[in-house]
Amino acid sequence: DTAVSQTPKYLVTQMGNDKSIKCEQNLGHDTMYWYKQDSKKFLKIMFSYNNKELIINETVPNRFSPKSPDKAHLNLHINSLELGDSAVYFCASRAAGTGSYEQYFGPGTRLTVT
Amino acid sequence: GNSVTQMEGPVTLSEEAFLTINCTYTATGYPSLFWYVQYPGEGLQLLLKATKADDKGSNKGFEATYRKETTSFHLEKGSVQVSDSAVYFCALDDRDDKIIFGKGTRLHILP
């Protein structure tokens, strides 16, 4: 069974469109994340939710809005897509609390804005 | 704030060569340290971790030792294989529900 899944795997769209990426984890984790990875492989954290509550909101354009309907799901909605939004977006989850709990990553969604 | 610095790549080695990827960190307290690996077209997966000073994490022939005195967590492997070609990320637990990742080091292994 896939621990952290994302859909779609590839997303090609035009500038100005609105799109969503979905993420689900079946690990029973309380904390979920969205990361953006650019072409140089640099990972930037965007958001973190703990039990449906937003706890990390890095400097991200407000065109990006996360939504967590329940603790197993964290979706990312992007309005008015721009060329610079092209990247790979990763969802991740982690057990609650601090310590040696690693993050589990999804396979990524490659977003291409034309 | 907390940060992780790792050597820039790409690193290109021949099969069976010895590998070292350097990683140093800046942190208050005693963070847990991780190495993640990202194979082409995939997400990141945990390679190994260490939770306290002098701990050695190991997996798949890779090792890293938590050195508090030098604030380092260098990744080593005695004999690399073509299948080890990937991007490697050093990371620390920020103890604030966040993991701080380094910029990644791309590794190419030539047959």
Side-chain angles (χ1 to χ4, degrees):
Chain A
D1 272 347
T2 303
V4 183
S5 59
Q6 296 178 227
T7 53
K9 188 166 175 61
Y10 300 97
L11 183 53
V12 181
T13 188
Q14 291 184 327
M15 284 174 57
N17 285 348
D18 302 339
K19 290 293 178 184
S20 292
I21 307 172
K22 296 187 176 182
C23 176
E24 176 181 0
Q25 55 95 3
N26 62 7
L27 297 167
H29 289 164
D30 291 303
T31 307
M32 296 183 71
Y33 306 81
W34 276 110
Y35 288 88
K36 179 181 180 181
Q37 187 176 49
D38 63 23
S39 58
K40 294 186 177 180
K41 299 296 185 182
F42 180 63
L43 267 175
K44 176 184 174 182
I45 188 168
M46 301 174 69
F47 302 103
S48 170
Y49 266 75
N50 185 287
N51 229 344
K52 303 197 301 176
E53 182 183 345
L54 180 66
I55 55 172
I56 294 174
N57 185 355
E58 297 291 311
T59 307
V60 175
N62 58 15
R63 299 181 294 103
F64 290 79
S65 54
K67 285 188 172 49
S68 182
D70 56 62
K71 76 173 196 176
H73 296 83
L74 180 61
N75 303 324
L76 183 65
H77 189 76
I78 316 169
N79 288 329
S80 304
L81 278 154
E82 300 178 357
L83 291 176
D85 297 333
S86 296
V88 181
Y89 292 84
F90 287 101
C91 177
S93 73
R94 186 184 190 194
T98 57
S100 63
Y101 301 117
E102 65 265 27
Q103 291 186 7
Y104 292 78
F105 282 78
T109 296
R110 182 175 294 276
L111 172 64
T112 303
V113 182
T114 61
Chain B
N2 295 346
S3 65
V4 173
T5 303
Q6 61 182 107
M7 61 190 291
E8 290 193 23
V11 174
T12 302
L13 297 171
S14 297
E15 208 167 19
E16 299 183 5
F18 184 87
L19 168 71
T20 300
I21 300 178
N22 290 337
C23 172
T24 56
Y25 67 91
T26 302
T28 53
Y30 304 92
S32 294
L33 301 174
F34 308 90
W35 276 101
Y36 282 80
V37 58
Q38 184 180 23
Y39 298 105
E42 298 183 12
L44 280 73
Q45 54 186 276
L46 181 70
L47 180 60
L48 54 84
K49 68 181 182 184
T51 59
K52 59 184 187 298
D54 299 326
D55 264 4
K56 178 187 282 187
S58 61
N59 186 23
K60 300 181 181 180
F62 290 89
E63 292 182 340
T65 301
Y66 191 140
R67 301 281 188 207
K68 187 153 176 39
E69 63 276 12
T70 54
T71 61
S72 64
F73 193 54
H74 304 322
L75 182 68
E76 297 182 335
K77 186 174 185 182
S79 177
V80 292
Q81 306 300 312
V82 172
S83 57
D84 294 326
S85 298
V87 181
Y88 292 81
F89 294 87
C90 185
L92 67 81
D93 179 345
D94 200 27
R95 301 200 181 276
D96 192 20
D97 258 333
K98 195 162 68 173
I99 291 183
I100 307 292
F101 287 91
K103 292 188 175 181
T105 302
R106 190 185 297 268
L107 175 66
H108 294 292
I109 306 300
L110 304 174

